[in-house]
Amino acid sequence: MSSSEPAARLTRWAAVVPTYNYGDVLEPSLRSMVAETSAGPPDLVVVDNASTDGSTDRLRVAMPEVRLLPAPGNVGYARAANLGIAATDAPIVAVLNGDLELHAGVAAAMLAAFAADARLGAVGPRMLNLDGSVYPSARSDPGLFVALGHAALGLVWKTNPWTRRYRQLDVDPTESRDVDWISGAAMWLRREALDDVGGWDERYFMYMEDFDLCLRLRRAGWHVRYEPAGEVVHVQGASTSKRPYRMIAEHHRSVWRFATRRYRGWRRILLVPLAPVLLVRCIAAMAQHAWGRPSMPKVTG
């Protein structure tokens, strides 16, 4: 391979960052990605969903080495991810939020997981909150009845049995393990697996696109893994908190879209109890936010 070939062809992994109005957290987040060279320097692509806060304009000046790819408007997380992935050639692609701090060694830990399992399609690191606590980024597929329990009680009783099962709150966060799905805020993906399932589903604007992707990967015979040997810190809500009511509505709409696509035939009757629960939950979440008690997860997905 000659030295004149594009940099993307020389990298072991790429980092794709869909961004929309991340403000001042974007530049330090990207600097932590540039500095994370434990698996070699990443091919870094920022896909801008028509930000209006000047963050990407400042980025052009502060970090001219970063490839900035403008999306055709605010196209959502999934489509921006696909646009960025298409702009790289790396065999492993990390899709990352623009408000993350990557700890040293996370890329090496994720690539080591891929090297150990040829059928690994996606892997996520341990995700920490700003206070150092562990965010439950590795989740179970809840099924409809656990989902109903989580939806109905999760706002007012955050440690109820259904939420604990769904968020795997009783599992040791230092345990490396196969899981049903991982948060799309920090997800390393094998390109071969992505191509196999057709990439991210662009019918999701925000939320549930990560659950949907992991479900399709597992159905196609790929594994999904949580690997706490690598860590990231997530600010959470740096972009979504600026439009809280729309994001709450998008969250619940994506849950409904996911459910209507998942349940077919006679199983669609199971959607009957879900619709009113989601509507009431959406209204309650908006009310709690208005009263100064944010109630929905701010992590994308």
Side-chain angles (χ1 to χ4, degrees), residues 88-288:
T88 77
D89 290 316
I92 303 298
V93 182
V95 178
L96 306 170
N97 276 20
D99 54 0
L100 293 174
E101 177 190 344
L102 271 59
H103 283 186
V106 62
M110 299 302 103
L111 267 66
F114 284 112
D117 181 357
R119 293 301 298 175
L120 184 62
V123 61
R126 176 157 52 175
M127 191 175 294
L128 304 177
N129 298 308
L130 282 174
D131 62 3
S133 60
V134 177
Y135 179 82
S137 59
R139 305 287 178 97
S140 298
D141 185 338
L144 184 63
F145 295 108
V146 172
L148 281 170
H150 167 67
L153 298 174
L155 295 181
V156 294
W157 181 17
K158 296 186 182 298
T159 58
N160 70 77
W162 298 276
T163 296
R164 296 192 72 85
R165 178 177 173 183
Y166 166 56
R167 293 187 173 179
Q168 299 192 356
L169 296 182
D170 297 317
V171 181
D172 183 354
T174 66
E175 176 187 331
S176 176
R177 62 192 188 273
D178 285 351
V179 295
D180 290 333
W181 69 284
I182 51 178
S183 170
M187 183 184 291
W188 271 254
L189 295 150
R190 191 187 299 272
R191 182 179 295 275
E192 179 187 355
L194 270 176
D195 291 343
D196 188 26
V197 300
W200 297 70
D201 189 334
E202 298 179 4
R203 287 173 288 188
Y204 294 95
F205 181 78
M206 284 281 288
Y207 305 108
M208 298 302 292
E209 66 279 279
D210 43 9
F211 190 174
D212 174 271
L213 176 58
C214 290
L215 178 61
R216 287 185 288 118
L217 286 169
R218 289 190 294 111
R219 285 177 172 174
W222 297 95
H223 305 153
V224 177
R225 193 159 185 82
Y226 166 73
E227 180 46 74
E231 288 185 344
V232 301
V233 177
H234 194 198
V235 174
Q236 298 192 47
S239 176
T240 58
S241 62
K242 297 173 183 177
R243 308 175 75 178
Y245 298 107
R246 179 183 176 185
M247 291 300 99
I248 290 171
E250 287 290 347
H251 180 237
H252 290 81
R253 183 162 61 181
S254 290
V255 171
W256 178 251
R257 180 179 292 114
F258 178 83
T260 57
R261 293 187 59 213
R262 181 171 189 177
Y263 295 105
R264 301 293 182 182
W266 68 268
R267 296 178 183 273
R268 292 185 71 83
I269 197 171
L270 300 175
L271 298 173
V272 174
L274 181 61
V277 169
L278 283 177
L279 178 60
V280 171
R281 190 183 191 278
C282 182
I283 294 170
M286 290 182 177
Q288 285 193 1

Side-chain angles (χ1 to χ4, degrees), residues 30-117:
L30 295 175
R31 290 197 182 281
S32 79
M33 297 176 195
V34 171
E36 176 34 29
T37 59
S38 63
D43 177 27
L44 181 57
V45 181
V46 176
V47 184
D48 180 37
N49 277 337
S51 294
T52 59
D53 65 348
S55 56
T56 50
D57 294 328
R58 294 191 295 273
L59 181 65
R60 287 187 180 92
V61 176
M63 300 183 69
E65 71 276 17
V66 172
R67 284 201 288 157
L68 188 59
L69 179 65
N74 188 6
V75 298
Y77 197 79
R79 187 176 178 191
N82 283 339
L83 288 170
I85 291 165
T88 77
D89 290 316
I92 303 298
V93 182
V95 178
L96 306 170
N97 276 20
D99 54 0
L100 293 174
E101 177 190 344
L102 271 59
H103 283 186
V106 62
M110 299 302 103
L111 267 66
F114 284 112
D117 181 357

